[in-house]
Amino acid sequence: MDTMLEARLQTQQRNTQNTQETSLWSSGFGMKLETVTPFLGKYRPFVGRCCQTCTPKSWESLFHRSIMDLGFCNVILVKEENTRFRGWLVRRLCYFLWSLEQHIPPCQDAPQKIIENTGVQNVISGRVPSGAGEGQVPGLEKKEVQRILGHLQAPLCPFLLRLFSWALLRFLNCVFLNVQLHKGQMKMVHKAAQQGLPLVFLSTHKSLLDGILLPFVLFSQGLGVLRVAWDPRTCSPALRALLKKLGGLFLPPEANLTLDSSEGVLARAVVHAAIEQLLVSRQPLLIFLEELPGAQGPRLSALGQTWLGLVVQAVQVGVVPDAMLVPVAITYDLVPDAPCDALAPLGLWTGALAVLRSLRSWGHSPRVCVRVHLAQPFSLQEYTINARSCWGSRQTLEQLLQPIVLGQCTVVPDTEKEQDWTPATGLLLALKEEDQLLVRRLSHHVLNASVTSSAVMSTAIMATLLLFKHQKGVFLSQLLGEFSWLTEETLLRGFDVGFSGQLRCLVQHTLSLLQAHVALLHVQQGDLLVVPRLGPGLTHLARLSAELLPAFLSEAVGACAVRGLLAGRVPPEGPWELQGIELLSQNELYRQILLLLHLLPQDLLLLPHECFSPQPCQSSYCYCQEVLDRLIQCGLLVAEETPGSRPACDTGRQRLSAKLLWKPSGDFTDSDSDDFEEAEGRYFRLSQQSRCPDFFLFLCRLLSPLLKAFAQAATFLHQGQLPDTELGYTEQLLQFLQANAQEEGFFECADPNLAVSAIWTFRDLGVLQQTPSPAGPMLYLSPTFTSRENQEKLEQFIRQFICS
């Protein structure tokens, strides 16, 4: 370890190492990468099945076991065999010939049908003055409708589509090593398309390139031209005009006006009519449910929820009998050219320069791999019926946690947390409150399905190892074994990985992708020392490691909950053997898990609503039991048989038939309190296996960036200058986090998104209160937390879950 620390100091203090380090990166590794065969012969799970509780019929009808063995295809690998022609000239023009052979459906007379839509006609007739002539004013209204429609969409241009497909295919082959797609997932989508219902693809959002790459992938697989719902803020007017010719949709600004505005009413009617016409003609639609990673604020996109609400309303009014929803995810080794300001409009010249820069770096920097994931399609109508039948009560975070934080109450309410950070726009506000709730729940449900079906890329695994296990440095020979171990643990939890091939080549390729954030040093016996760079490098590794969190989320929550139980009994720095002596009751574990789940921001971690209440998929009791089961399965907890108690393995319980056999799996009512009473006699201990201390610490550290940021935000309450605007206080807190990072080395906490998340969580918790003002929402400290004593209680409550 002394050698590793000395080497790390040398990298930070001596510039003479730069030459040696540069030669390591530029020397090349002789990589041999594969993308189809299973990693090290391990079983690769088939991911993306829809929810069996919410959509059981879809779960059965659109899946067959044979599709699991179809394997992967590289979408951008176009050869002579992909065309109808053969010969030496075809081999040189195969990209061009392939683009010519793609089917583009003929343009229909959509504008006239939209103008003749009943809803649009009703709005126009209501705007016509009673004394006006029959011809003049309707003509003006028709021009207004055409103007709004021109802002929304444009007729497709087949020539431009083919030319763009050819150019994009060449560009993708220069930038990416491959773009992988599972053939079995594609077969499920084709099977759903054969039912005669419109397809709506609901996707995550990692880069601006997603809006071009995903339509190209689906277009190449015979699904036709996708209509893509773009964010108008990200594109200049010239770029919007081009994208509309390629199938882009842009929400008119008038649609977000107040509900009583006549311009807003007409714009919303036109948008509704356009979506109805699109669904009737069965054109596939792509909606992004996530904001771009560079955007500070809620993870769920308000614009994405607006488009999804339009689809939900069209199905409810019977325009189409149903729609098939397809969760989509896209993952990169490294996100290409993530903009610093995600909301800055991208122009044609800016985009062209970005393309030229990418082509210029071709051959000088390692190319990344991409995976596109299509989860199992499910019926919107089926989900709506099952979801509406299972809604329950909700409480705010202030009602749930504040009495417990202040020591006024010890009982954790078993109810759903009400936490919606995504603002509702004009189109969504026009819906009934019940429908707004349905859209929000559906958005969480689909986005959670997309995230859980995403493959974990090699950079996420490497970043997690370097950040949470080897922040002081690790030898390459040891890193090979750690990489293999974490990959296997990920596969065992039902998550796929987006890589395969020879282990050493994979690790070296991943390190070459992370060379801006990792230093390599030659040490004794020809080995290499891998050292994460301090400062922004650790912050970037923390963002990459977040992609791995869903695979270990249950165990991480459970480990932090156990840490919270032991915080008041055993010193954190105490030996593992001393912590293993403590008995942990099942009820205490349930309570700590619920407390932590309520504290964690749902929007950041994408925990489904069902984790917090008995509705609709999973009760909180079941989720607590799932967390406990995961801790037992991974060997961290062992059951303790107390004298006189029934053995934990005893299945001959007297109440089995009365309690379990006659209750459906989704029917969790107040009678579940008996299960808590039955659990009072169950106790557990921490396992004393040699591998458990390191694994326990690893799991706790997965949530440490978020929890440490929250704890530091609680410390900052008595130092911050309040009242202040939300933006101003966010800047204050971020500067405080960055100053602490320089002093204590916790650079993974100095993230603007974590600062925003902490402020919004404290606002929901009642620590901060908000009032409107001309300069924006003003934040000030609530009277309850003006006392230093209550601020310390809040900080102590958060720090109990942090493992130092």
Side-chain angles (χ1 to χ4, degrees):
M1 184 62 67
D2 293 337
T3 306
M4 294 165 62
L5 291 176
E6 291 175 5
R8 188 178 187 183
L9 290 174
Q10 291 174 359
T11 60
Q12 299 169 6
Q13 297 175 358
R14 298 183 183 178
N15 294 329
T16 56
Q17 296 289 344
N18 292 340
T19 305
Q20 176 188 9
E21 190 180 319
T22 304
S23 64
L24 284 174
W25 292 121
S26 59
S27 60
F29 294 113
M31 293 168 291
K32 181 180 179 182
L33 299 179
E34 301 171 3
T35 52
V36 179
T37 57
F39 178 75
L40 294 178
K42 303 294 182 183
Y43 169 73
R44 169 166 276 166
F46 183 83
V47 296
R49 299 295 303 275
C50 64
C51 179
Q52 191 174 6
T53 303
C54 292
T55 52
K57 294 181 180 178
S58 301
W59 189 85
E60 273 188 37
S61 61
L62 297 175
F63 178 79
H64 191 273
R65 284 195 169 273
S66 61
I67 69 176
M68 299 171 58
D69 304 324
L70 294 180
F72 295 88
C73 66
N74 184 5
V75 177
I76 61 175
L77 183 61
V78 175
K79 297 182 178 180
E80 177 186 3
E81 292 77 13
N82 300 107
T83 68
R84 292 182 294 120
F85 308 99
R86 297 294 182 269
W88 65 270
L89 185 60
V90 175
R91 287 191 289 273
R92 286 155 179 79
L93 300 176
C94 56
Y95 289 179
F96 178 73
L97 294 175
W98 174 86
S99 63
L100 290 179
E101 292 181 352
Q102 300 305 305
H103 173 67
I104 298 177
C107 297
Q108 300 175 353
D109 190 19
Q112 187 61 33
K113 293 181 179 179
I114 292 173
I115 295 175
E116 296 173 356
N117 181 272
T118 305
V120 175
Q121 289 296 319
N122 290 339
V123 174
I124 291 177
S125 61
R127 287 163 56 102
V128 175
S130 57
E134 291 294 328
Q136 293 180 336
V137 179
L140 294 176
E141 295 297 334
K142 183 176 180 179
K143 290 182 179 179
E144 180 67 13
V145 172
Q146 291 174 341
R147 185 191 66 81
I148 296 173
L149 195 56
H151 195 289
L152 174 66
Q153 64 182 19
L156 297 177
C157 179
F159 170 75
L160 195 58
L161 276 167
R162 298 187 191 281
L163 179 64
F164 188 78
S165 299
W166 168 77
L168 184 62
L169 184 59
R170 298 193 66 88
F171 171 73
L172 294 177
N173 275 279
C174 294
V175 176
F176 297 133
L177 191 63
N178 53 66
V179 178
Q180 293 291 325
L181 176 66
H182 197 285
K183 297 178 183 177
Q185 294 177 346
M186 196 66 242
K187 187 171 183 179
M188 288 192 301
V189 176
H190 278 298
K191 192 173 181 181
Q194 293 172 1
Q195 296 185 358
L197 297 173
L199 293 178
V200 181
F201 296 89
L202 305 170
S203 176
T204 59
H205 208 4
K206 302 300 181 186
S207 167
L208 281 173
L209 189 60
D210 298 350
I212 297 174
L213 179 58
L214 286 176
F216 171 80
V217 170
L218 298 174
F219 175 65
S220 68
Q221 300 301 307
L223 289 178
V225 180
L226 259 72
R227 290 289 189 170
V228 184
W230 286 87
D231 189 345
R233 299 171 298 174
T234 61
C235 306
S236 66
L239 185 58
R240 285 201 298 267
L242 173 63
L243 292 176
K244 281 187 285 189
K245 290 290 185 180
L246 300 174
L249 299 174
F250 293 89
L251 200 64
E254 297 89 349
N256 289 322
L257 295 177
T258 57
L259 298 181
D260 55 353
S261 168
S262 60
E263 292 83 0
V265 172
L266 179 60
R268 285 189 285 272
V270 172
V271 173
H272 277 288
I275 289 295
E276 291 174 3
Q277 177 60 31
L278 186 146
L279 294 176
V280 169
S281 61
R282 290 189 293 172
Q283 298 181 58
L285 174 65
L286 174 62
I287 300 172
F288 292 105
L289 291 182
E290 264 187 326
E291 293 285 0
L292 280 171
Q296 295 182 20
R299 182 173 184 177
L300 277 172
S301 168
L303 184 65
Q305 287 192 356
T306 298
W307 287 105
L308 181 58
L310 292 170
V311 175
V312 170
Q313 191 172 17
V315 173
Q316 286 182 342
V317 298
V319 174
V320 288
D322 199 357
M324 300 302 294
L325 305 184
V326 187
V328 182
I330 183 169
T331 52
Y332 302 86
D333 281 335
L334 286 179
V335 177
D337 296 332
C340 298
D341 185 4
L343 298 183
L346 180 65
L348 279 176
W349 287 111
T350 308
L353 289 175
V355 170
L356 290 177
R357 282 196 302 268
S358 301
L359 295 176
R360 186 178 180 182
S361 62
W362 179 42
H364 303 286
S365 59
R367 293 186 291 170
V368 301
C369 301
V370 186
R371 276 282 297 274
V372 176
H373 318 271
L374 303 175
Q376 184 177 4
F378 64 91
S379 164
L380 172 59
Q381 196 72 269
E382 183 184 9
Y383 174 85
T384 302
I385 295 172
N386 292 333
R388 287 186 185 277
S389 63
C390 300
W391 288 353
S393 60
R394 311 165 78 201
Q395 289 187 3
T396 63
L397 188 61
E398 181 177 357
Q399 296 170 326
L400 290 170
L401 278 190
Q402 191 181 102
I404 298 175
V405 170
L406 300 178
Q408 301 170 354
C409 178
T410 58
V411 179
V412 185
D414 184 14
T415 186
E416 182 181 347
K417 176 176 67 174
E418 182 177 2
Q419 189 178 61
D420 296 311
W421 289 352
T422 305
T425 59
L427 277 164
L428 200 58
L429 289 173
L431 301 178
K432 295 184 294 185
E433 185 176 353
E434 184 182 10
D435 294 333
Q436 294 180 34
L437 181 59
L438 172 66
V439 172
R440 286 197 294 268
R441 285 175 174 267
L442 179 58
S443 301
H444 277 277
H445 192 96
V446 173
L447 196 50
N448 184 67
S450 299
V451 170
T452 53
S453 65
S454 301
V456 178
M457 306 304 283
S458 59
T459 48
I461 291 181
M462 183 64 68
T464 303
L465 289 173
L466 294 177
L467 184 65
F468 299 125
K469 286 181 71 70
H470 303 293
Q471 199 170 129
K472 294 182 179 181
V474 59
F475 293 111
L476 181 60
S477 56
Q478 181 184 356
L479 189 58
L480 293 174
E482 296 277 359
F483 189 92
S484 176
W485 163 78
L486 191 53
T487 300
E488 184 173 355
E489 291 290 337
T490 304
L491 293 171
L492 288 174
R493 283 159 178 79
F495 281 75
D496 196 7
V497 293
F499 54 89
S500 60
Q502 296 180 358
L503 177 60
R504 178 174 290 273
C505 294
L506 284 168
V507 171
Q508 292 173 341
H509 173 68
T510 306
L511 289 175
S512 66
L513 292 173
L514 298 177
Q515 58 182 294
H517 315 289
V518 174
L520 292 184
L521 297 174
H522 274 304
V523 291
Q524 54 200 3
Q525 298 178 353
D527 204 349
L528 290 178
L529 181 66
V530 184
V531 185
R533 301 181 189 271
L534 293 178
L538 290 182
T539 306
H540 184 79
L541 292 180
R543 292 171 183 167
L544 288 175
S545 66
E547 301 294 329
L548 186 65
L549 182 58
F552 292 87
L553 183 58
S554 296
E555 290 95 330
V557 169
C560 290
V562 171
R563 177 64 258 163
L565 269 183
L566 296 175
R569 307 180 189 180
V570 182
E573 63 276 2
W576 182 260
E577 292 78 11
L578 183 61
Q579 300 184 35
I581 297 176
E582 294 294 325
L583 280 178
L584 309 174
S585 74
Q586 186 163 326
N587 275 352
E588 290 176 328
L589 287 169
Y590 284 166
R591 181 180 183 275
Q592 289 296 115
I593 292 170
L594 282 177
L595 286 177
L596 182 55
L597 286 176
H598 288 318
L599 176 65
L600 294 177
Q602 177 182 331
D603 199 45
L604 185 67
L605 295 178
L606 269 188
L607 289 170
H609 284 279
E610 295 80 11
C611 293
F612 300 102
S613 73
Q615 297 26 284
C617 296
Q618 189 180 44
S619 70
S620 56
Y621 168 77
C622 277
Y623 187 77
C624 292
Q625 186 61 49
E626 179 186 331
V627 170
L628 195 57
D629 290 343
R630 291 288 187 93
L631 293 179
I632 296 172
Q633 289 171 5
C634 67
L636 286 178
L637 287 184
V638 292
E640 177 68 18
E641 306 293 352
T642 57
S645 65
R646 183 188 299 118
C649 59
D650 182 11
T651 58
R653 293 181 288 179
Q654 297 294 328
R655 303 165 63 193
L656 179 63
S657 60
K659 288 292 299 173
L660 299 177
L661 291 183
W662 298 102
K663 181 162 47 176
S665 60
D667 181 19
F668 295 99
T669 60
D670 295 336
S671 62
D672 290 326
S673 59
D674 297 335
D675 295 329
F676 285 94
E677 296 173 2
E678 187 178 331
E680 288 180 357
R682 300 175 188 163
Y683 290 87
F684 301 89
R685 293 185 192 272
L686 286 174
S687 173
Q688 297 301 305
Q689 297 181 24
S690 59
R691 68 176 185 86
C692 288
D694 288 340
F695 190 50
F696 180 81
L697 187 61
F698 168 75
L699 292 175
C700 290
R701 285 177 174 172
L702 289 177
L703 291 175
S704 63
L706 174 67
L707 294 175
K708 285 178 181 178
F710 279 22
Q712 293 182 29
T715 306
F716 183 68
L717 287 175
H718 71 280
Q719 302 180 26
Q721 302 297 321
L722 288 173
D724 196 358
T725 62
E726 185 177 302
L727 182 60
Y729 190 68
T730 302
E731 289 296 328
Q732 289 187 51
L733 178 57
L734 183 59
Q735 292 176 6
F736 178 76
L737 294 177
Q738 291 171 344
N740 274 1
Q742 294 292 338
E743 295 177 5
E744 304 176 9
F746 299 139
F747 291 95
E748 61 270 22
C749 303
D751 191 311
N753 287 326
L754 294 183
V756 172
S757 181
I759 290 175
W760 288 2
T761 300
F762 284 6
R763 184 188 61 192
D764 293 345
L765 190 56
V767 178
L768 299 173
Q769 293 184 353
Q770 181 176 295
T771 56
S773 73
M778 296 292 294
L779 294 176
Y780 62 93
L781 208 56
S782 69
T784 307
F785 285 90
T786 51
S787 67
R788 186 66 182 274
E789 180 185 1
N790 287 344
Q791 293 176 9
E792 291 176 352
K793 287 181 179 179
L794 173 63
E795 183 179 355
Q796 185 179 4
F797 174 79
I798 298 172
R799 288 197 181 276
Q800 68 175 325
F801 300 109
I802 301 175
C803 193
S804 59

